[in-house]
Amino acid sequence: MIKNIRNTEYGLVGEMYFSLFDRNIEVSIDDELMIEYANICAEYLNSLNDEVINQFCLAAIRYCNEFLSDIGEDEIGFNKPSDVLTLIKPKSLTVPDPQNGLEPVIDMELDCEWEEEHGMELIIRNDTVLYVGAYYGENPWGDYTNKKSWNYA
């Protein structure tokens, strides 16, 4: 699933097709031992169910409109949650060291039209959207039971 894998000064980098956005994105992998796990994560990303995608879209809308409100701009009304996807462009999937066996986790960096400086980070684990907010390099294996104010999930 991940193709064109090459060594860089930051580890391995490849690309994968992300079906939700109908585009290729970059995949960052620490080392060759994790390629199999990276493919598991990539496959999981492309098999997210409609409920998880809806959770992500609703969180992205909350992030968008709170950010716009904070900077004095008008909030955006969306006819349906998935309409927010037109304002988002996925950049990369970062594959963390596996935990819990080979349980897949999604840790993505995305660009979004409303927050050009920090963009957006998305973390999904166990079919639950755990983090949506500005990209701060959150821990994909972290505990998101008590959500921070900047987490719109």
Side-chain angles (χ1 to χ4, degrees):
M1 175 161 266
I2 299 172
K3 57 187 179 187
N4 301 326
I5 298 172
R6 60 203 180 281
N7 270 311
T8 71
E9 63 184 285
Y10 304 106
L12 297 176
V13 174
E15 61 183 46
M16 64 165 283
Y17 176 73
F18 185 11
S19 58
L20 179 62
F21 287 89
D22 190 27
R23 63 179 294 124
N24 286 329
I25 62 170
E26 184 177 274
V27 180
S28 297
I29 310 164
D30 280 341
D31 62 52
E32 290 181 19
L33 299 175
M34 291 177 42
I35 291 175
E36 177 186 351
Y37 178 65
N39 277 307
I40 290 169
C41 292
E43 201 172 296
Y44 177 58
L45 178 60
N46 276 324
S47 66
L48 294 174
N49 65 48
D50 291 341
E51 178 55 35
V52 173
I53 293 168
N54 193 57
Q55 286 176 31
F56 165 56
C57 291
L58 291 171
I61 289 169
R62 287 190 293 273
Y63 175 35
C64 171
N65 282 331
E66 185 168 307
F67 182 85
L68 291 174
S69 178
D70 286 349
I71 63 170
E73 298 285 330
D74 291 335
E75 293 183 4
I76 299 173
F78 296 93
N79 291 324
K80 58 186 186 294
S82 61
D83 288 349
V84 73
L85 297 176
T86 63
L87 304 177
I88 298 169
K89 179 181 172 189
K91 289 176 63 172
S92 64
L93 172 67
T94 300
V95 180
D97 289 334
Q99 292 187 14
N100 306 324
L102 295 178
E103 175 187 346
V105 65
I106 303 304
D107 182 7
M108 291 196 70
E109 181 178 3
L110 307 100
D111 285 331
C112 54
E113 287 187 18
W114 61 88
E115 212 317 6
E116 293 179 8
E117 184 178 349
H118 295 104
M120 182 181 347
E121 185 170 4
L122 166 65
I123 296 176
I124 300 173
R125 193 173 68 233
N126 235 2
D127 289 338
T128 303
V129 177
L130 298 172
Y131 180 84
V132 172
Y135 187 87
Y136 295 125
E138 296 289 329
N139 178 2
W141 295 111
D143 180 5
Y144 292 91
T145 307
N146 297 317
K147 294 201 181 345
K148 308 281 194 236
S149 61
W150 61 85
N151 181 357
Y152 299 92

